[in-house]
Amino acid sequence: MTTAETFEHIIRHQSCRELVPFLGALGNSDIVAVRQKTKSLLRELDRYEKTHGRSGLGEYRRVITPEQEMMLFFAGLATYSRKEAQARSFSLPWHLSDRGPDPQGHQEQFMTVLEQARPAWLAEWLVRLTRANQWAVLSYKQLRELEDRNLLAHDPWLFTQSVAHQLTRYNWLRNTYKKPDIDGYDQQILQQLQEDPTLLQRDLLLLFDYDSLVDSDSTFSGKDRELINWLTLLPRLVASGHLNRPEVLTRCLLALRRDFRRPLLTWFKNLFLALQPTPAERLARQTELVDLLAHPLPLVINFALDQLKELWTQPAFDAAALLLYADALVTRQDLKTGLRTLFNGLEKLLKQDPTLAPTLSRLSTTALTSADASVQERAAKLLKTILGARKPLLTAAEAAETTDTISLYTDLLTPAARTLLGPYLTTAPTPGSSTALAAAYAPATGFTPDISEATVIAPVRDWHELLFLTGELLQHNSPVRVERWLDGLGRLRGHYPADYAQQLRPYIVQTASSELKNKTDDEIREYFRTYSFGGIRQGRRELLVALLISWYQGFTQGNVPRANLQPQQYSAPDPLLLVEQARLAALEQRLHTGSPALPLLSTPSHAPHWVAPSALVQRLLAYQAASAEPAAADLALALTRTAATAPDDAAAARLLLPQLQHPELRALLEWYLAPQPEPAALPLQVAPSPGKPIARELTERLGKLIPFLKRTPAADSSPPLAESLPWLWVVAARTRLPYQELPALAAVASYPGVAQPWLPGWHFEQKTHTYKQSWNKQHPEVTNTWQELLVHTPPVPQGLPNPLLLYSYYVQPPKSTTGWYSLFSLQLELPFLLSLFPQNPDPLYWHLIRLSCRTDNSDTTAREVIQTALHALLAAGPAFSEPATLLLALGLTHSTPAGRAVALEVLLASVDTGRLVPDALGRILGKLLAVGFAPVQRLSDALAQARAISPLLDDAVGQVLDELLPLLPTATPLRNTRKLLEAYTDVQQRTTRVVPAPVAQHLQAWSQSAALRKAAASLLTV
């Protein structure tokens, strides 16, 4: 047999014990042949084949065995070139990196193969694997062995990652003991560390130089499972003298200057504190501590200032260096605790060195722009000390400049700061001085969409733009771009170039990743002919990809209906995607039959997602001229997007309606486009005949054309549009009259969102969870308590009466088993879903609140959903409804600064556009804070940033607080209630409003509290 044949025989019939000597004996002339055979065997064996299990159900079994997988890996180590070694598929088997017992001896064989082959790319390969997954790094023991055998040069970054996982290795090695809870395991680990001088003197100190997961590395010791991590081991190594204490302290501070992860920076901070440095040690490192003040994270700055606060008055302390950094600190809005610490220290510096008064005066004046009341108060106190000193600390010119500057900030000053600086304000305000600027905010009534030339969305011009949009379709989730692509796909039918399929090939290859990379056109067509569109994760992108593939195939088969949008074990596509599937399937069917190039009815004609009434009627007339029947799903979505309240364009559309020959459709549009549609004018609907779902109707039609679709009986003879008219009346009515009762629709269906509007309720419910930790003797039982926001609706029958009831899809809550997958789908589809309901998005808002706002501590997916929804509230529109106001309140008290920042933008924009309803927002915020769903601090920070922007905003914020404050508890005031009272005082001083009686009663009760007495008393005198 040839060398390649012998190799194949070993792989198929033997084990690593026979392979390792074979690889060691390979000559240079045999390496290429074995390399090629290795890759061909991987392609053949590394796959799954379908088998029948004992239950008779189909199962998938991996062809390659674990031993064969290990042998082919060893062959790759011995024969691969640098190019093959850097392929993503060539990775280290998990248990080769010293993860416990190895009965097969694979770890020793791994070292033997490396010793024999000595690959030049070994270091590069190990670094690539570790950068891709830091948990896959080789153990420190193995790296040292490779270094001792001259197989690997010392790589500081790679050795750092391995050291940072040492304790995790010890955790895995516990499996070699009979009892996993090892007494004195910490002492064993500590002793092994102390006996390794190379580790102590070289590699352990690298943890301070490179970003690693050392903050996550841990194991435990004894029956009580005492935690062992580097924060417990390093101080003990310092105490025993194995690590140099001054060097470790300095390295901690230098590490805090680096661009590391926030948790790792916290770890270095905690290590420094665990060493309990003395004031003398901190003073010796004042340069390193002061340099930390330039860090972008408040975490690091607050730490540095806290370490410096005891050193201000030390003779050896260099205040000049700190004051250089202070200029940048006092303008930062994300520093609160640090700035308070800073100003405490500046007061000490002033007493020690009065010549610093001009510099400290300038810093304090700049700090008056801070949105935090306590920072302003500290700065004002320092300014008062400087300006009111018995012996002048400033020259006359400096004092005049200071008073002139602080007078410019009068409108920005909080009540406490204004009181302190009142004698020095050259234009001190009086209670009635802002009368001329006062304004009364009231929500806007009515909303008129902007249907003008300025907001027109231009249709696709030519083939080149359509091809460009095809590339964007696969990369972006922009509803407008997708709608333009869909419109162009149908509008340009008949104008595609002859080789359009070849031009689409690069985009088609992207849809299947690397599977189609080197295939011919015929192979690609065959691949998609039997392609399964029923994968686990299905969404709108998959629907669009199915349509793209149909386009590539020349619309010879319908792919859109084949996408499986039913909830599965690990997937819960948004239910409204079924309507989108029906719309796209109708477009696909029309393109298949070569029908005239007709536009989709629901394509937005004006930004952001409006269909102009005249554009809708003109499109319907185009369908009429072509003797084509509109798709029910397309018409339903067109109704939800039609800007029926745009008076001029709606009037132009009504002039075109007499040309529409369909009497029922004409009657529907005459009512829908009326200036003020009357509920009494709704026709008394006859209960619709039970029809087939849209998806089934389309499947039956396409089944006649596509051989592999299941054949079903022919469709009913009645036209689909005639069957859909009762449901289209419901869509039109609920779009124009979302909150009214419509008895005329009761005969259509007895379901929420038809005759009765869907108005869910919401409330907070306290939840608790108790769990036991038997290893923790001090706290054997832990109970967590939290508030949960619940959106509840009465029970409804399973299943919609008809797929066109667009405003009723979310009435039935998702199952608890698919709740997270519903949220995941909502995260992906929300931009598209929001584009469907520019006039009545409330059902969608209730759905996303139910899924993403249940608790205050939401995950990344929920946070993205909330921020996307908040961005949608920035646009012009009608006054906020209850769910929109609830969403804004949840945003203003969100757990992340990014979420609160977007909500603050919404608050400011909604006052300008008249969308804010202050009374409703105040009541909801009061309910949120009163039950403890979110801390008061978050809201007070947001309101502090909304100060003195405009008189209209001041009045709106005052109205919010008028409703909010009476809902807060008085017996036990919430933490930081004082900040809300300070914000309210500030608003009252800027406006001419009086304190309402309910607020005054609460102020009387709060005046008995030591923490709130001062703030409440100042308000009672207003």
Side-chain angles (χ1 to χ4, degrees):
M1 290 193 297
T2 64
T3 302
E5 291 173 340
T6 303
F7 171 71
E8 182 176 1
H9 176 77
I10 294 174
I11 297 297
R12 294 187 184 277
H13 305 289
Q14 295 181 346
S15 67
C16 292
R17 287 191 298 273
E18 292 78 20
L19 177 68
V20 172
F22 170 81
L23 294 175
L26 283 178
N28 292 335
S29 59
D30 299 324
I31 288 179
V32 175
V34 173
R35 179 191 304 162
Q36 297 302 324
K37 181 58 68 174
T38 299
K39 293 191 288 186
S40 66
L41 287 173
L42 273 173
R43 286 193 295 269
E44 175 190 345
L45 299 176
D46 195 7
R47 59 185 175 85
Y48 289 85
E49 64 179 8
K50 192 171 184 179
T51 61
H52 293 285
R54 296 180 180 179
S55 61
L57 300 177
E59 299 177 355
Y60 284 91
R61 178 184 64 86
R62 197 178 185 197
V63 175
I64 193 171
T65 66
E67 188 69 14
Q68 287 175 332
E69 185 178 18
M70 186 61 64
M71 287 192 288
L72 290 174
F73 169 73
F74 285 158
L77 279 181
T79 63
Y80 276 3
S81 66
R82 184 181 302 273
K83 178 181 177 181
E84 283 87 8
Q86 296 307 316
R88 184 181 301 177
S89 58
F90 187 60
S91 58
L92 183 72
W94 185 250
H95 71 276
L96 282 187
S97 56
D98 191 17
R99 282 174 166 80
D102 181 31
Q104 293 84 11
H106 288 157
Q107 294 176 14
E108 183 179 351
Q109 293 164 356
F110 172 55
M111 287 294 177
T112 302
V113 172
L114 287 176
E115 181 74 43
Q116 294 170 351
R118 308 187 76 84
W121 42 260
L122 178 60
E124 184 181 355
W125 177 65
L126 291 175
V127 169
R128 178 184 67 80
L129 292 179
T130 308
R131 289 195 184 279
N133 179 10
Q134 291 183 340
W135 294 97
V137 66
L138 277 182
S139 70
Y140 181 70
K141 172 186 174 183
Q142 289 173 303
L143 289 181
R144 288 281 297 277
E145 184 177 352
L146 292 174
E147 184 183 17
D148 293 340
R149 297 187 182 190
N150 293 322
L151 295 172
L152 182 70
H154 181 258
D155 185 292
W157 181 86
L158 183 62
F159 275 70
T160 301
Q161 308 310 313
S162 189
V163 171
H165 284 78
Q166 271 290 84
L167 301 184
T168 304
R169 308 284 173 181
Y170 281 112
N171 207 30
W172 289 327
L173 290 175
R174 287 189 305 100
N175 298 325
T176 61
Y177 290 78
K178 293 182 179 180
K179 295 182 179 180
D181 299 332
I182 308 168
D183 292 333
Y185 199 35
D186 56 338
Q187 291 295 334
Q188 296 182 33
I189 296 173
L190 188 64
Q191 183 177 356
Q192 293 182 27
L193 297 177
Q194 292 171 342
E195 292 174 353
D196 190 342
T198 302
L199 170 67
L200 294 172
Q201 299 171 15
R202 185 189 69 179
D203 295 328
L204 193 58
L205 295 178
L206 293 175
L207 293 173
F208 297 89
D209 299 331
Y210 297 96
D211 198 326
S212 68
L213 294 178
V214 65
D215 54 308
S216 304
D217 199 33
S218 66
T219 183
F220 52 86
S221 174
K223 294 181 180 180
D224 293 339
R225 299 200 171 190
E226 296 178 0
L227 185 65
I228 308 172
N229 56 31
W230 288 109
L231 281 179
T232 62
L233 292 174
L234 288 176
R236 293 167 71 176
L237 290 173
V238 169
S240 64
H242 290 84
L243 290 178
N244 184 271
R245 178 182 175 86
E247 183 179 10
V248 172
L249 287 171
T250 302
R251 282 178 173 270
C252 283
L253 298 179
L254 294 177
L256 284 168
R257 294 168 55 180
R258 296 190 168 92
D259 185 21
F260 289 159
R261 297 174 294 110
R262 182 187 177 97
L264 184 57
L265 293 174
T266 303
W267 185 86
F268 283 117
K269 181 198 77 169
N270 292 336
L271 177 58
F272 185 86
L273 296 176
L275 294 174
Q276 299 179 349
T278 64
E281 289 175 322
R282 280 178 279 162
L283 187 61
R285 291 163 182 79
Q286 61 174 306
T287 301
E288 289 82 3
L289 285 169
V290 170
D291 287 345
L292 293 179
L293 300 181
H295 202 279
L297 287 180
L299 162 78
V300 178
I301 296 175
N302 290 339
F303 161 77
L305 289 171
D306 189 62
Q307 296 302 304
L308 290 169
K309 67 182 181 182
E310 297 179 4
L311 311 179
W312 301 94
T313 57
Q314 297 289 331
F317 180 71
D318 182 11
L322 182 137
L323 293 176
L324 289 176
Y325 288 100
D327 276 325
L329 294 182
V330 295
T331 59
R332 291 184 54 165
Q333 299 296 329
D334 56 346
L335 293 176
K336 297 172 186 175
T337 304
L339 286 180
R340 291 194 291 268
T341 304
L342 175 65
F343 276 102
N344 286 338
L346 294 181
E347 290 179 8
K348 297 177 182 179
L349 284 180
L350 180 64
K351 293 178 181 179
Q352 182 174 334
D353 187 1
T355 61
L356 294 175
T359 301
L360 301 184
S361 173
R362 177 174 48 81
L363 290 175
S364 302
T365 304
T366 306
L368 294 178
T369 60
S370 174
D372 186 73
S374 59
V375 173
Q376 276 198 22
E377 187 175 0
R378 299 293 175 89
K381 183 179 178 182
L382 181 57
L383 275 172
K384 182 180 180 181
T385 302
I386 295 173
L387 294 173
R390 293 182 179 179
K391 182 179 179 181
L393 300 177
L394 301 175
T395 64
E398 290 171 340
E401 181 183 0
T402 301
T403 54
D404 290 344
T405 304
I406 62 177
S407 295
L408 296 175
Y409 298 152
T410 301
D411 288 339
L412 296 176
L413 296 179
T414 60
R418 189 180 291 121
T419 300
L420 288 168
L421 296 177
Y424 309 103
L425 298 176
T426 56
T427 56
T430 61
S433 63
S434 58
T435 304
L437 298 176
Y441 172 81
T445 57
F447 169 66
T448 303
D450 185 7
I451 305 299
S452 64
E453 290 294 329
T455 60
V456 168
I457 299 176
V460 176
R461 296 185 302 273
D462 50 29
W463 159 256
H464 300 288
E465 186 178 6
L466 182 62
L467 189 65
F468 175 78
L469 286 173
T470 304
E472 291 194 328
L473 176 77
L474 301 175
Q475 300 296 329
H476 304 288
N477 189 20
S478 170
V480 173
R481 292 173 182 172
V482 171
E483 294 291 350
R484 292 186 69 235
W485 180 80
L486 291 171
D487 183 64
L489 190 63
R491 192 185 298 274
L492 298 179
R493 173 70 164 168
H495 298 281
Y496 306 151
D499 64 338
Y500 84 88
Q502 189 63 30
Q503 296 188 49
L504 288 177
R505 178 187 169 110
Y507 307 115
I508 291 294
V509 171
Q510 290 182 39
T511 64
S513 186
S514 60
E515 296 181 53
L516 303 179
K517 189 173 182 181
N518 298 316
K519 292 186 181 294
T520 64
D521 291 342
D522 292 337
E523 289 175 333
I524 292 177
R525 292 190 185 93
E526 179 61 24
Y527 174 84
F528 284 120
R529 191 184 68 81
T530 59
Y531 182 75
S532 173
F533 291 90
I536 293 179
R537 295 290 168 83
Q538 295 292 307
R540 192 184 187 220
R541 186 181 188 277
E542 284 68 31
L543 293 177
L544 296 171
V545 167
L547 186 59
L548 175 61
I549 294 171
S550 294
W551 186 20
Y552 175 76
Q553 295 170 326
F555 299 105
T556 57
Q557 65 182 39
N559 295 321
V560 175
R562 297 167 60 192
N564 180 17
L565 294 179
Q566 297 301 320
Q568 303 179 51
Q569 183 178 4
Y570 301 110
S571 175
D574 193 274
L576 274 172
L577 291 177
L578 292 171
V579 183
E580 176 69 354
Q581 184 179 31
R583 181 177 77 130
L584 297 182
L587 173 63
E588 184 182 45
Q589 174 68 10
R590 194 170 75 241
L591 293 170
H592 165 75
T593 58
S595 301
L598 294 171
L600 284 170
L601 300 174
S602 54
T603 300
S605 61
H606 291 71
H609 309 110
W610 294 109
V611 174
S614 59
L616 173 62
V617 178
Q618 288 168 1
R619 291 170 185 175
L620 287 170
L621 292 175
Y623 275 72
Q624 178 178 285
S627 300
E629 186 176 88
D634 188 22
L635 183 52
L637 296 181
L639 290 174
T640 64
R641 287 174 167 172
T642 298
T645 56
D648 296 338
D649 199 87
R654 289 194 296 271
L655 295 177
L656 297 174
L657 280 178
Q659 303 177 37
L660 197 61
Q661 298 174 4
H662 198 295
E664 291 85 359
L665 185 56
R666 186 173 63 249
L668 187 154
L669 291 176
E670 286 174 349
W671 181 89
Y672 183 66
L673 297 178
Q676 296 292 335
E678 294 293 335
L682 282 170
L684 292 175
Q685 297 289 338
V686 179
S689 58
K692 300 168 186 170
I694 295 177
R696 181 181 171 191
E697 179 83 18
L698 291 167
T699 303
E700 290 179 355
R701 292 185 178 187
L702 293 172
K704 301 174 183 178
L705 303 172
I706 306 172
F708 49 81
L709 282 183
K710 184 178 180 180
R711 296 300 181 105
T712 55
D716 297 339
S717 57
S718 57
L721 182 59
E723 293 178 0
S724 303
L725 275 171
W727 312 106
L728 292 174
W729 271 104
V730 176
V731 173
R734 282 300 158 209
T735 303
R736 290 301 308 270
L737 306 171
Y739 305 114
Q740 295 190 27
E741 294 188 6
L742 306 173
L745 300 179
V748 178
S750 177
Y751 203 81
V754 184
Q756 299 290 331
W758 182 47
L759 300 173
W762 61 281
H763 69 279
F764 293 101
E765 187 174 307
Q766 183 170 297
K767 301 283 187 177
T768 59
H769 176 255
T770 301
Y771 63 93
K772 296 183 178 180
Q773 42 185 18
S774 57
W775 63 89
N776 192 333
K777 303 302 182 182
Q778 295 180 347
H779 302 284
E781 190 173 276
V782 178
T783 299
N784 293 325
T785 304
W786 70 95
Q787 293 289 337
E788 197 164 295
L789 190 157
L790 300 178
V791 176
H792 55 86
T793 56
V796 295
Q798 289 285 346
L800 279 175
N802 188 275
L804 292 180
L805 292 179
L806 304 182
Y807 295 109
S808 301
Y809 269 89
Y810 300 124
V811 170
Q812 184 68 34
K815 297 179 180 178
S816 58
T817 55
T818 60
W820 188 89
Y821 299 104
S822 297
L823 177 61
F824 179 75
S825 176
L826 186 64
Q827 175 196 19
L828 298 177
E829 313 299 348
L830 188 56
F832 161 68
L833 296 174
L834 288 169
S835 75
L836 297 182
F837 305 111
Q839 301 185 72
N840 180 21
D842 285 3
L844 180 58
Y845 287 157
W846 283 121
H847 180 59
L848 70 88
I849 289 170
R850 176 167 55 195
L851 288 179
S852 60
C853 303
R854 289 180 58 194
T855 63
D856 180 47
N857 296 318
S858 54
D859 60 13
T860 304
T861 304
R863 290 197 295 268
E864 290 186 7
V865 168
I866 296 172
Q867 290 184 33
T868 302
L870 288 172
H871 274 290
L873 296 179
L874 288 168
F880 288 153
S881 58
E882 182 182 13
T885 305
L886 175 57
L887 187 62
L888 174 57
L890 292 167
L892 290 171
T893 57
H894 199 259
S895 59
T896 63
R900 297 195 295 274
V902 178
L904 180 60
E905 288 185 43
V906 173
L907 178 66
L908 302 182
S910 63
V911 171
D912 292 336
T913 58
R915 301 191 70 183
L916 181 69
V917 184
D919 296 350
L921 179 61
R923 287 191 295 271
I924 292 175
L925 283 171
K927 193 173 179 181
L928 283 173
L929 299 180
V931 300
F933 184 79
V936 175
Q937 177 75 48
R938 297 176 188 169
L939 177 62
S940 64
D941 288 348
L943 295 181
Q945 297 180 62
R947 297 175 57 251
I949 294 178
S950 72
L952 202 64
L953 180 60
D954 285 339
D955 188 73
V957 171
Q959 294 182 46
V960 171
L961 291 172
D962 282 344
E963 293 291 332
L964 186 157
L965 293 175
L967 298 176
L968 300 184
T970 55
T972 306
L974 299 176
R975 184 179 181 184
N976 290 315
T977 300
R978 178 179 59 85
K979 292 192 175 183
L980 284 182
L981 295 182
E982 290 173 349
Y984 190 60
T985 303
D986 181 69
V987 168
Q988 293 300 109
Q989 291 180 352
R990 295 177 191 283
T991 62
T992 58
R993 303 167 66 256
V994 297
V995 177
V999 178
Q1001 293 176 4
H1002 262 57
L1003 292 175
Q1004 290 287 354
W1006 280 328
S1007 64
Q1008 307 303 314
S1009 169
L1012 303 180
R1013 183 178 298 115
K1014 182 178 179 181
S1018 64
L1019 274 168
L1020 288 171
T1021 59
V1022 174

